[in-house]
Structure formats: C-alpha cells, structure tokens
Amino acid sequence: MFLSTASVPRVASRLSRPIGFGESLRRANHTQSPRVAVLFQAIDPPIIGGVRKPRKPGGYQDSGADIAYTLQSKGIRSITPKPSPQLEVDQGWCFADTEEGIESALSKGATHLWANTILFNAHPLQSSQKLSRHASEVYVVGQPPALVENFDDKAYLNGKLGQLGGFTLPKSWLASDTATLENCLSSISRYPVVGKPVRGRGSHGVKVCHDPVGLKDHVQKLLQESPLVMIEEYLPGEEATITVMPPSPEVSEYWSMPPVARFNHADGIAPYNGVVAVSSNSRVVTESEMKDPAYHKIMDECVRVAKLIKATAPIRVDVRRFCEGSEFALFDINMKPNMTGPGRPGRESQASLTAIAAAALGWDYGTLLKQILATAQPLASFRSYRSPF
C-alpha cells in the first residue's frame, strides 16, 4: 500500500485523529493514558563487523526534547528526568539509554519508551535482565535492536535486496584494503562515483569522487575509520526521500508517505540537517509531479523493503533518478529517520523530512508523533524480532 498526494484528503481524514491509544493500552493492561519517556543516545555504539557507527554529538537530545515537549503539548504525558525542563535547552527532557536511565524512567511511571537512539544487539533494551520483568507491560517505539544491527550496514542490506531482485539499485563495489580498492578502481569505467562508510550517520564520509585519484584518496581515508567502504555509481538525477510507516492498530499494512524532493545539494550531496535545515532545501512532490509513474514504482519498492525487514517504526529511504526523467533507484535506507520538529522556541525551521511529508497529509508535528506512538509494541515483542535472512 502506498499513498499518493492525490489520495491525501481521504487518508488524512481517516488517519489524522489520534489512533490506537485505547487498544494499545488495553493490551498493555493500562487504563490511563500513555506516559512516554524519550531515550537519548548515551551509549557509544559497539564495533560491529569492525565498524563503529559515528555517534551524534548530543545523542539526539535535540529531537528527543522536541518529541517530549510536543507530546506534552498535545495532551500526552511526557515523563522527564527534570520536573520542569527549560524550553530552550535540549538537556533535561530525555533519559539516557543506559540500563540505569531506562530504569529511572520506569520508576517514574513511564509506560512507553521512545527509543530515539541507535540500537544494537547488546543494547540494554535488548539484553538487560533487570528490564525483563517489564517485558510484557512496557511498550517501545522504535526498531528492534537486532533489525538495526543487521540493516544499518548498507552493504549488507543492499546485497540482500540485490540477491532477491525486484529492487532498483545503483551499481556498487566494496573496498576493504588496498588490493580490493585496486580491484574496484579497475572495475569502475564511469565517473563520478560516491564513496561512503557502510555504517554512516547523515552525510558523514559521503563524497562524490570525479576520478580514480580522488576516489582512491577518499576511500583510503575512510578505511582508516572503517574496514569496509562502499562505492556506488553517482546518480545525477532528481533526489527524493520517502518515509514508510509500519502497521498500527488502525492501519494494518505498511504504507508510504508522499515523497519529499531534495534540492540545493552541496558538491552533489544533500547537506547534513545539522548544517542546513531540511526545510530550506526540501519540498513535498506536487500532485502534478505524482502523475509520473516512476514515483509510484519507487514508493512501492520502499514499502516492500520495510515489509521485508519487518520494520516496527518509520524508515526513510533516499532515492535518486539515474538521469532526468528516468526511474528512481534506492541508494540509502535509514533505520532511524531524523525526527526533529517545530514547537519549542527557536525550533521553527526544524521540521524533519518525515514531518514535511506528514504535513502533506494534513498532520502537524504533534499528530505525526501520535501516529508513531500508536505503533509502539511490547518490550517482549521488541526483543523477539528475528531477521528474515
């Protein structure tokens, strides 16, 4: 199932009200409204396959504060470490994602944990024995740690999609040392290409390389921080990003939000949102543009990716055309979309790409957060995830 902008009025009328809270809480044996504690990244991700994903400065406390404040302003109780966090300050709204931080949130009465952090198999949400006694009664918003650990690896996921077939992907190569890099260089017949880490964050380490010398220099630098580097053909056509929502109590299927077009790239790459607000270089694709079947084809592929990996929270897929007017290819599948949004003072321009897409459905940022909250699952289910591969 996917949504075009032509179907937005029907879908918005069906989905724009707060959904799922009554059913979710009945299943959780609660009679009161959700009490949400947002978790931020206080734990450095481990080295996985020789690669450590870069940690975001601040640990996503900016978006965490946006989430906690906005839910509170929409009538959903936010449990916070401090009784009255300052609106202009990111700190004080969220709990550390350590075992102690999570236990503190639960001791304050949290029924729902919003995992606004990077997860992995050894994360306390997955592995803590102390949290096991809460496994059937506490709900989690986010992707299962085992899912994230597997599919944050761009080379692994793209490889699986390529093996399955039916997904449009750019040509790619992998370099792990001098010998494999030389093999890549001899195999690449057309430039530019893009070099990037297999476990990246934002635009970290992503660079368009215009010749073998530039590519070799960039990949050698990346190999100093990662034992595996991905090289992809550069797609010069239009870029867009597509958010796929998971099933919820009211919508039983995966479905796609409207595509958001990206523009004003820096050296061929969309700049990191911490440097340039996405609201200044992104817009929802228009109804007229949606008549192009290429949008619907790639939206369907994005939905199939989410369904295949059994995503339990929104994923965001970045896509590009091979050239003007061509079909799109999937080039970056993000397990944790940025979730910043307006609400707190000074955050007016901080709508995330997902929030921009949601606005086309008639949802403000708070309504989007309520929709995501409705996809929360019991910690026991969260921990029982099994990879399809």
Side-chain angles (χ1 to χ4, degrees):
M1 173 183 178
F2 60 83
L3 311 180
S4 70
T5 49
S7 64
V8 163
R10 175 178 61 83
V11 175
S13 65
R14 184 160 61 92
L15 297 181
S16 58
R17 65 186 183 278
I19 65 173
F21 299 118
E23 181 174 342
S24 173
L25 291 173
R26 279 194 296 274
R27 285 181 295 155
N29 296 318
H30 291 298
T31 56
Q32 66 272 53
S33 297
R35 299 187 298 275
V36 183
V38 181
L39 307 179
F40 75 89
Q41 185 186 25
I43 305 173
D44 283 324
I47 295 174
I48 301 171
V51 184
R52 188 191 299 275
K53 186 181 180 80
R55 183 173 175 228
K56 181 181 178 180
Y60 303 99
Q61 289 186 84
D62 56 344
S63 55
D66 293 338
I67 293 167
Y69 168 79
T70 305
L71 286 176
Q72 189 170 281
S73 69
K74 288 289 185 177
I76 304 299
R77 185 176 173 189
S78 293
I79 306 296
T80 57
K82 294 183 177 181
S84 300
Q86 297 181 49
L87 289 180
E88 300 84 358
V89 178
D90 295 339
Q91 293 75 28
W93 292 91
C94 310
F95 293 84
D97 64 343
T98 60
E99 184 177 67
E100 294 76 18
I102 297 168
E103 284 199 305
S104 175
L106 296 177
S107 71
K108 291 178 180 290
T111 61
H112 289 60
L113 301 171
W114 192 302
N116 190 42
T117 183
I118 300 300
L119 299 173
F120 41 86
N121 280 334
H123 193 279
L125 281 173
Q126 181 69 41
S127 62
S128 169
Q129 292 300 312
K130 290 183 178 180
L131 298 179
S132 295
R133 65 181 182 273
H134 304 288
S136 63
E137 60 191 41
V138 169
Y139 278 64
V140 181
V141 177
Q143 307 288 8
L147 182 153
V148 179
E149 180 158 324
N150 278 341
F151 302 129
D152 245 3
D153 185 325
K154 302 177 192 303
Y156 177 77
L157 179 54
N158 281 21
K160 292 298 183 183
L161 297 179
Q163 291 171 15
L164 288 170
F167 297 95
T168 310
L169 301 163
K171 294 179 183 177
S172 63
W173 302 263
L174 294 174
S176 58
D177 52 27
T178 300
T180 53
L181 174 56
E182 290 298 331
N183 288 338
C184 292
L185 292 171
S186 64
S187 301
I188 297 170
S189 59
R190 186 173 179 179
Y191 286 81
V193 294
V194 177
K196 61 185 182 182
V198 294
R199 288 184 186 271
R201 178 185 59 78
S203 57
H204 172 79
V206 182
K207 184 178 180 180
V208 177
C209 303
H210 296 274
D211 54 52
V213 174
L215 176 61
K216 185 174 183 178
D217 178 67
H218 180 57
V219 172
Q220 286 177 332
K221 290 177 181 176
L222 289 179
L223 286 172
Q224 294 175 14
E225 62 179 66
S226 168
L228 189 63
V229 174
M230 192 170 186
I231 303 167
E232 285 183 338
E233 68 172 307
Y234 175 65
L235 306 177
E238 172 197 1
E239 180 174 339
T241 191
I242 296 167
T243 298
V244 179
M245 291 286 284
S248 68
E250 184 158 312
V251 184
S252 61
E253 303 173 73
Y254 291 90
W255 59 274
S256 168
M257 287 186 173
V260 174
R262 308 297 310 278
F263 50 88
N264 290 345
H265 291 61
D267 298 322
I269 303 296
Y272 173 53
N273 68 291
V275 176
V276 179
V278 296
S279 57
S280 67
N281 59 16
S282 311
R283 63 169 179 81
V284 175
V285 172
T286 66
E287 273 193 54
S288 176
E289 291 170 322
M290 283 298 299
K291 294 176 182 177
D292 182 349
Y295 287 109
H296 299 274
K297 179 177 181 292
I298 201 64
M299 290 164 73
D300 180 62
E301 290 189 28
C302 293
V303 168
R304 288 194 289 119
V305 169
K307 184 176 181 179
L308 174 67
I309 65 175
K310 299 184 287 188
T312 57
I315 65 168
R316 204 194 76 230
V317 185
D318 297 330
V319 303
R320 272 198 180 193
R321 295 184 193 262
F322 290 94
C323 60
E324 184 177 354
S326 78
E327 65 181 356
F328 288 92
L330 313 168
F331 77 89
D332 198 6
I333 301 168
N334 301 284
M335 298 302 113
K336 184 196 172 303
N338 181 36
M339 206 52 66
T340 56
R344 295 187 295 134
R347 304 288 290 176
E348 293 78 14
S349 66
Q350 292 304 309
S352 63
L353 292 164
T354 297
I356 291 172
L361 299 175
W363 298 352
D364 62 12
Y365 178 54
T367 301
L368 168 65
L369 296 179
K370 285 184 175 182
Q371 302 290 349
I372 296 172
L373 182 58
T375 68
Q377 58 180 316
L379 178 59
S381 299
F382 188 78
R383 288 181 163 189
S384 66
Y385 173 85
R386 293 295 181 268
S387 172
F389 306 119

